[in-house]
């Protein structure tokens, strides 16, 4: 995938020292049950230094008091979901882990983000705080990708790749059932600079190991 310019906070690392990624967690909230599939996206405030103005899944960095390992990621995911989207009632143990993405080592600010799935709890309606996140929308995955292609929805690479996978599923229940049985391993893309264009490569793609 070619990128003509990085998102805010995704600038290339100009030093020889690789940044150690910070632990983070994100919740992909689903609705539709067995009949449909929609995902919740929130828009980060344009004033944010990192990902300002972009549409993302609710999430953020793990706080030190939340500990380490899987339990810490789950606690952070639930906390960020409530802070950014005002959704409560999700139990950390009930989150379904879907993926783990590590920011390319070529980027200055790096995160090791664990993504979880969760159905929207009954009776809950998301709302943004108006400070860290300024808007929200529900999208069928294919519709979000189409809006991005029309330059109506600013998305970053990991969000796009997740939506591409989700578009293959007919319902929220089908996606959760699939994720419950999958083995999750880390994905660390690479950034290859060709002139003024940056190409993002995934493991296994031509040029990744060069």
């Amino acid at each position: 995938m070619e990128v003509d310019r990085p998102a805010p906070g995704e600038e290339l690392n100009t030093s020889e020292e690789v940044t150690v990624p910070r632990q983070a967690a994100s919740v992909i909230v689903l609705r539709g049950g067995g009949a449909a599939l929609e995902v919740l996206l929130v828009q980060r405030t344009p004033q944010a230094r990192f990902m300002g103005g972009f549409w993302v899944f609710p999430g953020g960095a793990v706080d030190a008091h939340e500990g380490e390992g899987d339990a810490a990621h789950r606690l952070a995911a639930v906390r960020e979901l409530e802070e950014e989207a005002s959704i409560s009632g999700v139990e950390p143990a009930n989150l379904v882990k879907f993926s783990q993405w590590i920011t390319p080592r070529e980027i200055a600010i790096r995160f090791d983000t664990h993504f979880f799935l969760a159905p929207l709890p009954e009776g809950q309606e998301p709302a943004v705080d108006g400070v860290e996140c300024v808007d929200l929308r529900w999208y069928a995955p294919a519709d979000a990708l189409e809006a991005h292609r029309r330059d109506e929805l600013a998305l970053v690479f990991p969000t796009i790749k997740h939506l591409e996978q989700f578009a293959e599923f007919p319902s929220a229940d089908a996606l959760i059932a699939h994720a419950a049985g999958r083995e999750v391993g880390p994905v660390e893309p690479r950034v290859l600079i060709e002139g003024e264009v940056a190409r993002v490569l995934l493991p296994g793609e031509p040029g990744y190991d060069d």
Side-chain angles (χ1 to χ4, degrees):
M1 178 177 178
E2 293 186 354
V3 180
D4 59 354
R5 62 187 183 279
E10 284 198 319
E11 287 78 13
L12 294 175
N13 185 0
T14 56
S15 73
E16 296 183 358
E17 185 175 348
V18 177
T19 305
V20 175
R22 187 177 180 185
Q23 295 300 306
S26 181
V27 181
I28 302 165
V29 183
L30 312 175
R31 74 177 184 183
L37 171 59
E38 290 184 315
V39 300
L40 178 67
L41 293 173
V42 295
Q43 185 184 30
R44 291 181 55 78
T45 175
Q47 283 71 47
R49 176 170 172 259
F50 186 76
M51 300 294 181
F54 279 74
W55 291 81
V56 298
F57 304 118
V62 175
D63 287 345
H65 68 84
E66 288 166 329
E68 299 179 352
D70 182 67
H73 289 109
R74 291 172 180 272
L75 286 173
V78 169
R79 172 181 52 76
E80 289 286 344
L81 180 61
E82 187 160 8
E83 290 176 359
E84 293 191 351
S86 302
I87 295 176
S88 58
V90 177
E91 293 295 329
N94 292 338
L95 293 170
V96 177
K97 191 169 181 179
F98 184 81
S99 63
Q100 176 188 356
W101 281 66
I102 303 174
T103 307
R105 62 188 61 197
E106 295 85 1
I107 302 298
I109 299 176
R110 304 181 69 214
F111 291 93
D112 181 349
T113 306
H114 295 238
F115 291 86
F116 298 91
L117 304 179
L120 178 67
E122 186 174 352
Q124 291 287 303
E125 286 294 335
V128 294
D129 62 4
V131 179
E132 190 171 359
C133 297
V134 295
D135 200 0
L136 64 83
R137 295 177 192 169
W138 290 99
Y139 275 103
D143 291 343
L145 292 169
E146 180 58 31
H148 174 67
R149 284 190 286 268
R150 295 194 302 263
D151 291 328
E152 297 172 0
L153 193 69
L155 302 174
V156 290
F157 185 78
T159 308
I160 293 169
K161 303 312 288 186
H162 279 85
L163 290 170
E164 289 175 349
Q165 294 180 69
F166 298 160
E168 300 177 4
F169 293 88
S171 69
D173 289 352
L175 174 55
I176 290 174
H178 166 79
R182 71 185 263 147
E183 186 174 332
V184 175
V187 176
E188 183 177 344
R190 287 199 59 199
V191 177
L192 180 64
I193 306 299
E194 297 178 335
E196 296 183 356
V197 177
R199 290 180 57 211
V200 183
L201 303 176
L202 290 172
E205 292 183 340
Y208 180 88
D209 295 318
D210 293 348

